[in-house]
Amino acid sequence: MASIHIDQVSKIYDGGVRAVKSIGIDIADGEFIVLVGPSGCGKSTLLRMVAGLETISEGTVSIDDRIVNQIEPADRDIAMVFQNYALYPHMTVYDNLAYGLKNRKTPKVEIEARVAEAARMLEIEPYLKRKPRALSGGQRQRVAMGRAIVRKPAVFLFDEPLSNLDAKLRVTMRGEIRKLQRRLGTTAIYVTHDQLEAMTLADRLVVLNGGAIEQIGTPLEVYHRP
Ligand code: ADP
Ligand code: ADP
């Protein structure tokens, strides 16, 4: 678990686009935050700055009082799930799940135990020996989730993880993401342009517009305001 402190963060891209403008958000341990808003409003940029994948032009992001910009990417206790799954096509599902742990020199027995646990939670045990191309979209998305949870990170970051799935599967996976996040107690930031998805998932919603916060609050506070 971890709390996240986003303090007056801005992003100015080379060329001068001001994608994020002085955003401040305090996120509690175990909270599920959804960043929502139209394409181009700065959701992805803000998420990537929290992940340390994008330099921060102004302000700071801290996780448990450690400034992320000062932590080496490999030492950040963060796992990110993308819409394109980002699986290694030449590796089996097992090896995809184990990859991050192997890189961190985790003992083999522990890798086996963690992969087995994640595979059980996500119901992908029958597919561990397959390559990603032999899986459906929903199964691939579960493997991508599995890669995030085997590391037992303090923070989950989701960048439109369900947008490549059909509507029915999106609803199912949405529920499963929330169930897993509650069970693990992991603090989460989830980016989507889908208002229904945002309302269903969020403890608190942050509505962005033109790189700034337009509204912030529980789904009830944000969507039932006159
Ligand atoms: P969203 O995720 O809400 O669609 P983005 O964070 O991707 O928004 O983009 C916010 C703004 O920043 C947009 O105007 C986009 O064109 C711009 N932008 C995003 N990435 C870059 C980049 N690498 N270089 C320059 N401008 C960028
Ligand atoms: P998203 O679906 O997250 O909004 P996009 O498809 O808009 O992503 O952008 C994909 C990639 O292109 C990202 O890495 C983003 O930073 C970059 N990008 C987006 N807009 C611009 C831009 N105006 N100039 C340069 N790079 C950009």
Side-chain angles (χ1 to χ4, degrees), residues 13-14 17-20 37-46 48 54 159-160 191:
Y13 281 111
D14 296 341
V17 177
R18 229 180 145 74
V20 170
S39 183
C41 71
K43 307 180 294 293
S44 241
T45 300
L46 182 58
R48 290 206 307 271
E54 192 81 73
D159 196 352
E160 307 238 10
V191 162

Short mmCIF file of all heavy atoms in Angstrom, two decimals, residues 13-14 17-20 37-46 48 54 159-160 191, ligand 1:
data_model
loop_
_atom_site.label_atom_id
_atom_site.label_comp_id
_atom_site.label_asym_id
_atom_site.label_seq_id
_atom_site.Cartn_x
_atom_site.Cartn_y
_atom_site.Cartn_z
N TYR A 13 5.52 20.07 -23.12
CA TYR A 13 6.29 19.27 -24.08
C TYR A 13 7.20 20.18 -24.90
O TYR A 13 6.93 21.38 -25.03
CB TYR A 13 5.35 18.52 -25.02
CG TYR A 13 4.76 17.26 -24.41
CD1 TYR A 13 3.40 17.18 -24.10
CD2 TYR A 13 5.56 16.15 -24.16
CE1 TYR A 13 2.86 16.03 -23.55
CE2 TYR A 13 5.02 14.99 -23.61
CZ TYR A 13 3.68 14.94 -23.31
OH TYR A 13 3.15 13.79 -22.76
N ASP A 14 8.26 19.58 -25.45
CA ASP A 14 9.11 20.31 -26.39
C ASP A 14 8.21 20.85 -27.49
O ASP A 14 7.39 20.12 -28.02
CB ASP A 14 10.14 19.37 -27.05
CG ASP A 14 11.10 18.79 -26.03
OD1 ASP A 14 11.21 19.36 -24.93
OD2 ASP A 14 11.72 17.75 -26.33
N VAL A 17 3.61 22.65 -26.04
CA VAL A 17 2.27 22.20 -25.62
C VAL A 17 2.23 22.06 -24.10
O VAL A 17 3.05 21.35 -23.52
CB VAL A 17 1.90 20.84 -26.26
CG1 VAL A 17 0.53 20.36 -25.77
CG2 VAL A 17 1.90 20.92 -27.78
N ARG A 18 1.30 22.77 -23.47
CA ARG A 18 1.13 22.66 -22.01
C ARG A 18 0.08 21.60 -21.75
O ARG A 18 -1.12 21.89 -21.71
CB ARG A 18 0.69 24.02 -21.47
CG ARG A 18 1.47 24.50 -20.29
CD ARG A 18 0.98 25.86 -19.80
NE ARG A 18 1.08 25.91 -18.35
CZ ARG A 18 2.24 26.05 -17.71
NH1 ARG A 18 3.37 26.17 -18.36
NH2 ARG A 18 2.25 26.07 -16.39
N ALA A 19 0.50 20.35 -21.59
CA ALA A 19 -0.43 19.22 -21.54
C ALA A 19 -1.05 19.06 -20.17
O ALA A 19 -2.18 18.57 -20.05
CB ALA A 19 0.31 17.94 -21.93
N VAL A 20 -0.33 19.43 -19.10
CA VAL A 20 -0.83 19.32 -17.73
C VAL A 20 -0.47 20.62 -17.02
O VAL A 20 0.66 21.10 -17.12
CB VAL A 20 -0.19 18.10 -17.00
CG1 VAL A 20 -0.51 18.13 -15.51
CG2 VAL A 20 -0.68 16.79 -17.61
N GLY A 37 -11.83 12.12 -18.88
CA GLY A 37 -11.93 13.35 -19.67
C GLY A 37 -11.68 13.03 -21.13
O GLY A 37 -11.23 11.93 -21.45
N PRO A 38 -11.97 13.99 -22.02
CA PRO A 38 -11.87 13.73 -23.46
C PRO A 38 -10.43 13.50 -23.91
O PRO A 38 -9.49 13.84 -23.19
CB PRO A 38 -12.43 15.00 -24.09
CG PRO A 38 -12.24 16.06 -23.05
CD PRO A 38 -12.38 15.37 -21.73
N SER A 39 -10.27 12.92 -25.09
CA SER A 39 -8.96 12.68 -25.67
C SER A 39 -8.18 14.00 -25.72
O SER A 39 -8.72 15.04 -26.06
CB SER A 39 -9.14 12.12 -27.07
OG SER A 39 -7.90 11.81 -27.62
N GLY A 40 -6.91 13.92 -25.31
CA GLY A 40 -6.04 15.11 -25.37
C GLY A 40 -6.09 15.99 -24.14
O GLY A 40 -5.42 17.02 -24.08
N CYS A 41 -6.86 15.60 -23.08
CA CYS A 41 -6.98 16.46 -21.89
C CYS A 41 -5.80 16.30 -20.93
O CYS A 41 -5.73 17.01 -19.92
CB CYS A 41 -8.31 16.22 -21.18
SG CYS A 41 -8.39 14.64 -20.33
N GLY A 42 -4.90 15.36 -21.21
CA GLY A 42 -3.70 15.24 -20.37
C GLY A 42 -3.66 14.04 -19.44
O GLY A 42 -2.73 13.90 -18.64
N LYS A 43 -4.64 13.11 -19.54
CA LYS A 43 -4.72 11.96 -18.65
C LYS A 43 -3.46 11.10 -18.70
O LYS A 43 -2.85 10.77 -17.68
CB LYS A 43 -5.91 11.06 -19.01
CG LYS A 43 -7.25 11.76 -19.08
CD LYS A 43 -8.38 10.79 -19.44
CE LYS A 43 -8.34 10.19 -20.83
NZ LYS A 43 -8.56 11.17 -21.92
N SER A 44 -3.11 10.71 -19.95
CA SER A 44 -1.95 9.84 -20.15
C SER A 44 -0.66 10.49 -19.69
O SER A 44 0.19 9.84 -19.08
CB SER A 44 -1.81 9.59 -21.64
OG SER A 44 -1.94 8.29 -21.93
N THR A 45 -0.52 11.76 -20.01
CA THR A 45 0.68 12.48 -19.61
C THR A 45 0.83 12.49 -18.10
O THR A 45 1.90 12.21 -17.56
CB THR A 45 0.63 13.94 -20.16
OG1 THR A 45 0.54 13.88 -21.59
CG2 THR A 45 1.85 14.72 -19.75
N LEU A 46 -0.28 12.76 -17.39
CA LEU A 46 -0.22 12.79 -15.93
C LEU A 46 0.14 11.41 -15.38
O LEU A 46 0.99 11.28 -14.50
CB LEU A 46 -1.57 13.27 -15.36
CG LEU A 46 -1.65 13.40 -13.84
CD1 LEU A 46 -0.58 14.35 -13.30
CD2 LEU A 46 -3.03 13.87 -13.40
N ARG A 48 1.74 8.99 -16.91
CA ARG A 48 3.14 8.65 -17.23
C ARG A 48 4.12 9.42 -16.35
O ARG A 48 5.19 8.92 -16.05
CB ARG A 48 3.42 8.88 -18.71
CG ARG A 48 2.70 7.86 -19.62
CD ARG A 48 3.43 7.67 -20.95
NE ARG A 48 3.66 8.93 -21.60
CZ ARG A 48 2.80 9.51 -22.46
NH1 ARG A 48 1.67 8.91 -22.77
NH2 ARG A 48 3.08 10.67 -23.00
N GLU A 54 7.85 9.88 -17.92
CA GLU A 54 7.83 11.18 -18.59
C GLU A 54 8.44 12.17 -17.61
O GLU A 54 8.15 12.11 -16.42
CB GLU A 54 6.35 11.53 -18.83
CG GLU A 54 6.06 12.66 -19.74
CD GLU A 54 6.13 12.25 -21.21
OE1 GLU A 54 5.22 11.55 -21.69
OE2 GLU A 54 7.11 12.64 -21.85
N ASP A 159 -3.64 2.42 -17.96
CA ASP A 159 -3.87 3.37 -19.05
C ASP A 159 -4.85 2.77 -20.04
O ASP A 159 -4.47 2.00 -20.92
CB ASP A 159 -2.55 3.75 -19.74
CG ASP A 159 -2.69 5.01 -20.60
OD1 ASP A 159 -3.83 5.49 -20.77
OD2 ASP A 159 -1.67 5.50 -21.10
N GLU A 160 -6.14 3.08 -19.90
CA GLU A 160 -7.21 2.56 -20.76
C GLU A 160 -7.05 1.06 -21.01
O GLU A 160 -7.04 0.63 -22.17
CB GLU A 160 -7.22 3.30 -22.10
CG GLU A 160 -7.26 4.81 -21.94
CD GLU A 160 -8.44 5.46 -22.62
OE1 GLU A 160 -9.34 4.75 -23.08
OE2 GLU A 160 -8.47 6.70 -22.66
N VAL A 191 -6.86 5.42 -15.93
CA VAL A 191 -7.19 6.43 -16.94
C VAL A 191 -8.23 5.86 -17.91
O VAL A 191 -8.07 4.74 -18.40
CB VAL A 191 -5.92 6.83 -17.74
CG1 VAL A 191 -6.28 7.50 -19.05
CG2 VAL A 191 -5.05 7.76 -16.91
P1 ADP B 1 -5.06 12.05 -23.10
O1 ADP B 1 -4.36 10.92 -22.46
O2 ADP B 1 -6.07 12.70 -22.21
O3 ADP B 1 -5.63 11.70 -24.44
P2 ADP B 1 -2.42 13.13 -23.53
O4 ADP B 1 -1.80 13.21 -22.19
O5 ADP B 1 -2.06 11.98 -24.40
O6 ADP B 1 -4.00 13.23 -23.35
O7 ADP B 1 -2.13 14.46 -24.33
C1 ADP B 1 -2.31 15.77 -23.77
C2 ADP B 1 -1.81 16.80 -24.77
O8 ADP B 1 -0.40 16.70 -24.91
C3 ADP B 1 -2.37 16.63 -26.18
O9 ADP B 1 -2.52 17.93 -26.72
C4 ADP B 1 -1.29 15.85 -26.91
O10 ADP B 1 -1.30 16.08 -28.29
C5 ADP B 1 -0.04 16.41 -26.24
N1 ADP B 1 1.07 15.42 -26.24
C6 ADP B 1 1.05 14.18 -25.72
N2 ADP B 1 2.23 13.57 -25.84
C7 ADP B 1 3.04 14.48 -26.46
C8 ADP B 1 4.40 14.46 -26.87
N3 ADP B 1 5.18 13.38 -26.67
N4 ADP B 1 4.90 15.56 -27.48
C9 ADP B 1 4.13 16.66 -27.67
N5 ADP B 1 2.83 16.75 -27.30
C10 ADP B 1 2.29 15.67 -26.70
#
